[in-house]
Amino acid sequence: MSVAEEAMSDQSAVMRVLRGQAAVKPPVWLMRQAGRYLPEYRELRARASSFLDFCYDPRLASEATMQPVRRFGFDAAILFSDILVVPDALGVSVSFENGEGPRLAPVDTWERLLALKKEIDLSYLSPVFETISTVRAMLSGGTALIGFCGAPWTVASYMVAGRGSPDHASARLLAYRQPALFRDLVERLIEASIAYLGAQFEAGVDAVQIFDSWAGVLPPREFERWCFDPLRRIIAGVRRARPQAPIIAFARGAGGHLPRLAEASGADAIGLDTTIDLDFAAARVQSVKPVQGNLDPLALVAGGAALEAAVDDILAKLGRGPLIFNLGHGILPETPIGHVEQMIRRLRAS
Ligand code: CP3
């Protein structure tokens, strides 16, 4: 990053926290902030034939990215896309059934794995990079643009099962029964993620977040192999070309592994899910790296005194150190907009 670029990105509160500075009032954005809880999103979504067509239409995707920033004045925009564009660009057929979540052609045998593209086809994802440059040009310097990818374990769990599942048993069983096959899939995803995140920085994102949404289902030995090690290697890989690249690691359910992620993964900030004890987070995670989180999405649905108490707890325990205020997981479609406004008022008044 040039000195001029660095000075520019330092205008954004999110970037300052990512560099380790505590803010008087923590900057805020919400995971999945572009989504069905917004009427303007539902209207935009109805204009695309499928969810992936929506993601690959730079005009629609840039508008979806901007909507929550315009409405709420969040301190960061997150690229509107999905973690499953990576398998799509590896040649897996991906679709989203209405209301039922993603469907993929399962990759659970050597034959199916070897039929994939050897490397991610970045030209296939050119609409995503166009969305990034369009949004970057629309945002003021004070608002950070965050890119993202799914972590290999989380993406692999969808690829192996061909869909979401509560316990991720298909991927866990494949990793036990055919470790060489699962290893090969994860290696491909590590390389694909390094290339994809690098191209997102090239197109104009200020920081990226790696979502390991299903890290919490693995026993420690498996966590080390399939979550920690791939995360560390993606971060190191991205930094080979961009030594300063700001990276947030969100390993949902990682609990007691978070201090190690903060100390040894190379991430600049650690995402906290809803279940993390705030004293533990302050003493063992935020003492090492800035943190992001961790309001319960259901407290935001509930609103009222429960919401205010939950916001106040986070500010009391984590607000004096480097903190990016966020949810502990994605915003729920039934979230009332008035409660998001209430949350912001409470944060700004703090
Ligand atoms: O606003 C943002 O945060 C940016 C966009 C974003 C989406 N998905 C849009 C989306 C991001 C960052 C994601 C990440 C993602 N996608 C994750 C990791 C984060 C997490 O929530 O755990 C995962 C596991 C996925 C996979 C995925 N995409 C699922 C399981 C589903 C179906 C469930 C659902 O919420 O409907 C999706 C679809 C999806 N991705 C939607 C959105 C706005 C909803 C589809 C629609 O609007 O029709």
Side-chain angles (χ1 to χ4, degrees):
M1 200 185 277
S2 72
V3 175
E5 278 171 332
E6 192 158 341
M8 231 173 79
S9 55
D10 267 351
Q11 289 170 7
S12 109
V14 166
M15 297 303 290
R16 285 195 295 271
V17 174
L18 288 178
R19 288 180 216 285
Q21 293 175 34
V24 179
K25 292 187 195 301
V28 56
W29 67 278
L30 302 180
M31 289 189 276
R32 297 278 197 107
Q33 66 190 19
R36 287 163 293 190
Y37 74 109
L38 294 175
E40 60 270 34
Y41 172 88
R42 295 193 296 270
E43 194 268 320
L44 201 60
R45 172 76 179 82
R47 288 199 235 157
S49 47
S50 75
F51 179 67
L52 276 184
D53 287 341
F54 187 10
C55 292
Y56 293 144
D57 182 327
R59 218 171 35 84
L60 297 180
S62 56
E63 176 59 21
T65 306
M66 292 300 295
Q67 284 177 340
V69 177
R70 265 192 225 117
R71 184 188 267 272
F72 301 113
F74 287 132
D75 295 293
I78 181 156
L79 166 69
F80 187 80
S81 182
D82 197 81
I83 63 168
L84 299 179
V85 302
V86 166
D88 199 41
L90 285 168
V92 176
S93 147
V94 179
S95 64
F96 287 80
E97 303 299 328
N98 266 343
E100 285 179 49
R103 293 288 181 275
L104 299 81
V107 179
D108 50 2
T109 62
W110 278 109
E111 198 189 349
R112 289 172 168 176
L113 181 66
L114 295 173
L116 299 184
K117 292 179 192 159
K118 277 233 160 335
E119 284 175 10
I120 187 167
D121 183 354
L122 290 178
S123 65
Y124 184 86
L125 297 177
S126 58
V128 176
F129 308 126
E130 196 181 323
T131 302
I132 291 171
S133 46
T134 305
V135 172
R136 189 58 275 178
M138 290 164 94
L139 286 174
S140 79
T143 312
L145 176 56
I146 299 176
F148 68 93
C149 72
W153 162 251
T154 290
V155 175
S157 82
Y158 287 97
M159 290 175 78
V160 170
R163 56 194 301 162
S165 70
D167 56 4
H168 306 276
S170 307
R172 290 159 66 192
L173 277 173
L174 191 71
Y176 285 130
R177 287 178 172 150
Q178 289 185 264
L181 169 59
F182 195 71
R183 165 63 65 198
D184 194 294
L185 173 58
V186 166
E187 293 294 325
R188 287 165 188 246
L189 290 170
I190 292 172
E191 292 309 318
S193 304
I194 293 169
Y196 182 44
L197 293 180
Q200 291 186 36
F201 277 110
E202 201 61 46
V205 301
D206 302 298
V208 296
Q209 175 157 324
I210 306 174
F211 286 88
D212 214 346
S213 301
W214 305 115
V217 299
L218 295 177
R221 179 199 292 264
E222 302 300 290
F223 179 89
E224 186 66 26
R225 292 164 87 184
W226 310 124
C227 293
F228 182 81
D229 181 64
L231 269 172
R232 185 185 58 73
R233 286 174 51 203
I234 291 170
I235 294 167
V238 171
R239 297 261 171 77
R240 275 198 295 275
R242 279 182 188 69
Q244 311 293 327
I247 302 176
I248 305 165
F250 176 58
R252 193 164 69 95
H257 300 294
L258 290 181
R260 177 156 154 70
L261 273 175
E263 284 154 16
S265 71
D268 296 285
I270 302 296
L272 305 174
D273 70 49
T274 297
T275 66
I276 303 301
D277 177 79
L278 295 170
D279 289 317
F280 170 83
R284 303 287 310 282
V285 189
Q286 198 187 34
S287 58
V288 183
K289 284 286 158 72
V291 293
Q292 174 176 278
N294 71 342
L295 183 71
D296 185 353
L298 282 172
L300 195 58
V301 172
L307 172 59
E308 304 211 326
V311 170
D312 292 353
D313 278 347
I314 295 169
L315 293 177
K317 305 275 180 167
L318 301 174
R320 279 185 299 278
L323 167 70
I324 298 169
F325 195 93
N326 204 314
L327 296 171
H329 197 199
I331 193 165
L332 295 162
E334 64 269 34
T335 306
I337 285 167
H339 294 177
V340 179
E341 292 163 349
Q342 183 195 356
M343 177 199 80
I344 293 170
R345 276 197 305 277
R346 192 76 181 181
L347 279 172
R348 299 288 184 247
S350 61

